[in-house]
Amino acid sequence: MATTVRRAVLTLPAAATGPQNPLPALRPLDETHVIHDRDRSGLPRDMARQLGHAPLQTVLPVRLLDGYGRERVATDLDAIVIENDHLRATVLPGLGGRIHSLVHKPSGRDLVYANPVLQPADFALNGAWFSGGIEWNIGATGHTTLSCAPVHAALVPAPDGGDMVRLWEWERLRDLPFQVDLWLPADSAFLHVGVRIRNPHEQPAPVYWWSNIAVPEDARTRVVAPADEAWHFGYEGTLTRVPVPASGGTDRTYPLRSEYPADYFYEVPDGARRWIASLDEHGHGLVQTSTDLLRGRKLFLWGSGSGGRRWQEWLTEPGTGGYAEIQAGLARTQLEHVPLEPGAEFSWLESYGPLAADPATVHGDDWAAARAETERRLAAALPRADVDAAYTAWRAHADTEPGERLATGSGWGALEVRRGRYELPGTPFTDDTLGEEQEPWLELLDQGTFPGLAGAVPPGPTLVSWHWRDMLETAPAEPLTEYHLGIAQWHADDRAQAVRSWERGLGRAASRWPLLRCLAVAARVSGQRELAAEYYAEAFDGLCAERADGDEAWTAATAALGREAIEALLAAGRTEAARTVWAGLAPEIQERGRFRLLDARLLIAEGRTGAAKAVFDAGFEVADLREGAEILEEVWNRLTDEPLPDRYNYRMRPRV
């Protein structure tokens, strides 16, 4: 059959991602994948340099997504299906353009792990993320803020005369447009993926990219890559060079043979073909290869320990099998960011398809033979020269303007194109995508003034690049303008000036709580616990006086500010005030797992450890538990010497 592209609907049990958190993400990024300066000695020079290149401090201007739960209902998801005789790829444009499944039709096998549920969890840079399929990670170390966001999608003429699907968006952490072109030639068993990231600005931009592929995991699954060494990163925060396949007496190319979750970034030799494969006990599975610019390859494994298995159950569906991740990126490791010069671009082509190799060799004791066998089978299925030729053919079509629109992303790219008057052939960010969130910024751009709020509502999102900061500085100094200006200054690391802007706005603001909350964060970050507690208590009282009960935005604001206020008041030893904030939360909020945990902490501070233990005994689930978080174990250990129950064990590193 000729390749076809069609719209479809995929129905999955899904937990809704919930509303955006309306509080600007001022607090330092909670990122577990960090290497401290003292641990960089002895690393290759380019790696050490890129490890320290433009680290992200916050996720501004993106808002957090932390209002999801664990209740899943059958949900219809818009999908795009790309299909020929060999493969059927199902793409979710409303969820970052993720490839949900990639079915090898002759065998009926899904080459990737297609998660049977959609369960958000706190793994993305801005919160909500879900596991499975193939995701496109751009921005900064971690899972992209677009994990649960829509992207633009349209049909584009393919190099072979058929259709390919273009996905594109404006990545807001680094302020960069990108595109992903999905091309399945009519006679091909490999899906080609052309990727381009452009820097339209006058300054260099730090770039991060990793294609993240979830693959089925079992005791006989082996990950093979062209490397004899790897960089191991565990959740202890260290990066060490280890041999491949075995280190510490264990063959780490079998994901279930390790106990704890870990990353293995393979040291692929210069000049070697870039590829990685996951092969089952019969030697069958998925192989990913690319042009040489995409140099990095990685295995992430959950391991066989109780914490890793608990995370697998949390992210998927108990009893449905686990997964590991094989990945490909621009740098050796995911801890690095690569500079992209003004007016320049990065582009490459990836290919995904089935591979069958001799199982005895793949699973034998001779690693060199396993590598050679896998690479030989890859060369027969898809020669390296064919990938380079496909890249050249695709690159000639990268600027082609899209045709039929299949999905619509955000309006932020249209706003930036309008401001910067950028020419971006092939990725049109058109005015018809502008929406309510962009309206006040359009007024600032066109008229030089920032409009006030229409009624009592939480402030909208803030733009923080220097272009918008300059416009805010010259706009009339109304309280809402000072609020947004302070956020932009905070993002620019001009903390003292941000505080002055918020204090100026506070003097004339009718709605004081948003400014008070910003001042509270500033005080807490600078170590002023008492002042932070005072600001938070006043901010929460002010919000409660304004809020409209039953309104989704106000509920989100109340939950977010209430959580921050309780934590700050506990840190300042003001237990009674923290309990007052707790009492000001609606019962629906109090019953959420995150707030049941807060209640237990409050009870401990009040000296009521028996009541706190009863909270754990009754059971709760913290839906937005952060990757690598150990707060459940920490609170439990304050209550009892009993072993931590399995339901609360999410430990991702050995105990020290």
Side-chain angles (χ1 to χ4, degrees):
M1 63 181 289
T3 299
T4 61
V5 178
R6 57 184 170 86
R7 289 185 175 92
V9 173
L10 177 67
T11 303
L12 290 177
T17 55
Q20 293 180 349
N21 183 330
L23 306 186
L26 300 174
R27 293 190 291 178
L29 188 65
D30 181 17
E31 178 52 57
T32 58
H33 301 86
V34 175
I35 300 295
H36 299 292
D37 291 343
R38 64 179 182 271
D39 297 322
R40 294 177 186 173
S41 61
L43 299 178
R45 185 173 300 176
D46 62 333
M47 180 188 291
R49 182 176 62 250
Q50 290 177 173
L51 284 172
H53 180 58
L56 201 65
Q57 300 301 318
T58 73
V59 295
L60 288 169
V62 178
R63 289 185 153 189
L64 299 179
L65 277 175
D66 56 6
Y68 49 86
R70 298 281 298 169
E71 182 180 351
R72 297 192 287 259
V73 297
T75 304
D76 291 340
L77 304 171
D78 290 335
I80 301 168
V81 176
I82 310 168
E83 185 172 11
N84 68 6
D85 281 332
H86 302 278
L87 294 177
R88 180 171 63 250
T90 301
V91 184
L92 303 177
L95 294 165
R98 183 170 313 198
I99 296 178
H100 172 73
S101 67
L102 185 64
V103 175
H104 179 234
K105 293 172 65 175
S107 66
R109 290 183 294 111
D110 207 322
L111 300 178
V112 302
Y113 175 80
N115 199 333
V117 302
L118 198 165
Q119 177 57 59
D122 192 5
F123 278 65
L125 286 161
N126 64 328
W129 170 85
F130 64 102
S131 63
I134 306 172
E135 60 176 312
W136 319 113
N137 287 298
I138 181 174
T141 298
H143 292 282
T144 176
T145 61
L146 295 167
S147 293
C148 293
V151 298
H152 303 285
L155 292 178
V156 180
D160 64 347
D163 287 325
M164 64 181 176
V165 173
R166 175 161 299 159
L167 311 170
W168 73 99
E169 244 309 344
W170 196 277
E171 200 288 309
R172 302 179 65 210
L173 296 182
R174 302 303 193 180
D175 226 11
L176 299 175
F178 72 98
Q179 71 189 76
V180 177
D181 288 354
L182 307 175
W183 170 31
L184 180 60
D187 59 349
S188 177
F190 283 82
L191 175 69
H192 296 316
V193 180
V195 182
R196 178 166 63 166
I197 304 169
R198 289 185 274 195
N199 179 9
H201 306 299
E202 298 175 354
Q203 303 82 27
V207 172
Y208 169 92
W209 181 280
W210 281 80
S211 301
N212 188 11
I213 310 136
V215 290
E217 164 211 74
D218 61 42
R220 290 285 290 165
T221 297
R222 191 177 206 185
V223 172
V224 187
D228 292 317
E229 292 182 305
W231 295 93
H232 167 262
F233 181 84
Y235 286 78
E236 303 92 338
T238 58
L239 191 65
T240 54
R241 200 164 189 158
V242 298
V244 175
S247 64
T250 301
D251 188 333
R252 310 290 178 176
T253 61
Y254 290 89
L256 283 174
R257 294 187 185 179
S258 294
E259 183 177 2
Y260 289 98
D263 297 327
Y264 290 90
F265 300 101
Y266 294 111
E267 187 68 50
V268 180
D270 291 341
R273 185 175 185 181
R274 273 59 168 138
W275 58 270
I276 190 167
S278 175
L279 303 174
D280 66 15
E281 62 181 318
H282 305 293
H284 296 158
L286 170 76
V287 65
Q288 187 269 5
T289 187
S290 72
T291 49
D292 288 351
L293 183 67
L294 203 66
R295 66 173 297 182
R297 292 299 185 274
K298 170 194 164 183
L299 163 65
F300 169 76
L301 51 86
W302 285 107
S304 59
S306 56
R309 305 328 296 169
R310 183 73 181 109
W311 272 118
Q312 289 264 29
E313 294 174 354
W314 185 256
L315 295 168
T316 61
E317 183 73 5
T320 59
Y323 71 94
E325 294 172 357
I326 57 175
Q327 304 183 21
L330 279 175
R332 276 190 180 96
T333 74
Q334 287 178 321
L335 312 175
E336 303 168 66
H337 299 88
V338 183
L340 179 60
E341 294 303 310
E345 65 180 51
F346 288 141
S347 64
W348 65 89
L349 185 122
E350 307 177 42
S351 300
Y352 296 81
L355 195 71
D358 174 54
T361 306
V362 166
H363 294 285
D365 294 333
D366 187 336
W367 172 245
R371 282 177 44 189
E373 164 66 6
T374 307
E375 188 153 9
R376 182 178 68 82
R377 296 299 182 111
L378 171 60
L382 184 66
R384 186 176 187 177
D386 287 5
V387 176
D388 292 336
Y391 169 73
T392 301
W394 164 74
R395 192 63 188 79
H397 288 70
D399 284 350
T400 302
E401 290 302 310
E404 180 186 351
R405 184 70 69 104
L406 300 174
T408 302
S410 78
W412 295 114
L415 182 66
E416 292 299 335
V417 166
R418 186 159 168 172
R419 181 201 56 75
R421 300 183 180 181
Y422 301 125
E423 297 291 335
L424 298 169
T427 54
F429 295 96
T430 53
D431 283 354
D432 61 349
T433 62
L434 294 165
E436 183 179 349
E437 288 188 325
Q438 291 82 43
E439 285 179 4
W441 299 96
L442 277 174
E443 183 169 327
L444 177 64
L445 178 64
D446 295 340
Q447 302 178 31
T449 60
F450 198 90
L453 294 174
V457 294
T462 302
L463 296 178
V464 296
S465 69
W466 68 267
H467 313 90
W468 296 104
R469 188 172 71 249
D470 283 354
M471 282 184 264
L472 288 166
E473 287 176 346
T474 58
E478 297 297 328
L480 186 59
T481 308
E482 298 283 17
Y483 164 82
H484 287 294
L485 174 59
I487 295 168
Q489 291 165 333
W490 183 269
H491 176 265
D493 208 27
D494 192 352
R495 303 295 172 84
Q497 191 57 55
V499 169
R500 284 192 285 272
S501 295
W502 293 326
E503 288 175 341
R504 281 197 307 268
L506 192 63
R508 295 189 295 119
S511 178
R512 292 166 52 87
W513 70 265
L515 290 151
L516 287 165
R517 183 265 176 178
C518 291
L519 290 168
V521 174
R524 190 165 188 196
V525 168
S526 64
Q528 303 176 78
R529 290 186 176 185
E530 286 294 334
L531 181 59
E534 291 175 12
Y535 279 139
Y536 267 122
E538 186 178 352
F540 190 76
D541 287 345
L543 181 148
C544 291
E546 290 184 31
R547 73 186 183 196
D549 290 336
D551 179 86
E552 184 180 73
W554 279 113
T555 299
T558 303
L561 185 57
R563 172 183 171 181
E564 288 186 16
I566 292 171
E567 290 175 342
L569 289 162
L570 283 174
R574 296 176 57 175
T575 306
E576 185 176 347
R579 179 59 72 184
T580 299
V581 172
W582 168 268
L585 300 172
E588 178 271 328
I589 297 174
Q590 292 178 346
E591 289 303 314
R592 296 179 187 176
R594 171 64 63 180
F595 290 88
R596 297 298 295 147
L597 177 60
L598 270 177
D599 188 28
R601 293 170 60 190
L602 264 170
L603 290 166
I604 292 171
E606 292 166 340
R608 302 163 60 192
T609 55
K613 177 70 160 45
V615 173
F616 275 83
D617 292 342
F620 61 89
E621 293 181 323
V622 180
D624 60 333
L625 190 67
R626 185 68 175 161
E627 175 188 10
E630 296 174 1
I631 184 65
L632 291 170
E633 186 172 1
E634 291 167 2
V635 176
W636 175 264
N637 288 340
R638 295 173 63 188
L639 294 171
T640 177
D641 293 330
E642 297 174 16
L644 181 71
D646 287 344
R647 66 182 301 177
Y648 300 123
N649 182 10
Y650 295 87
R651 174 166 281 275
M652 300 180 77
R653 60 176 180 164
R655 290 177 175 82
V656 294

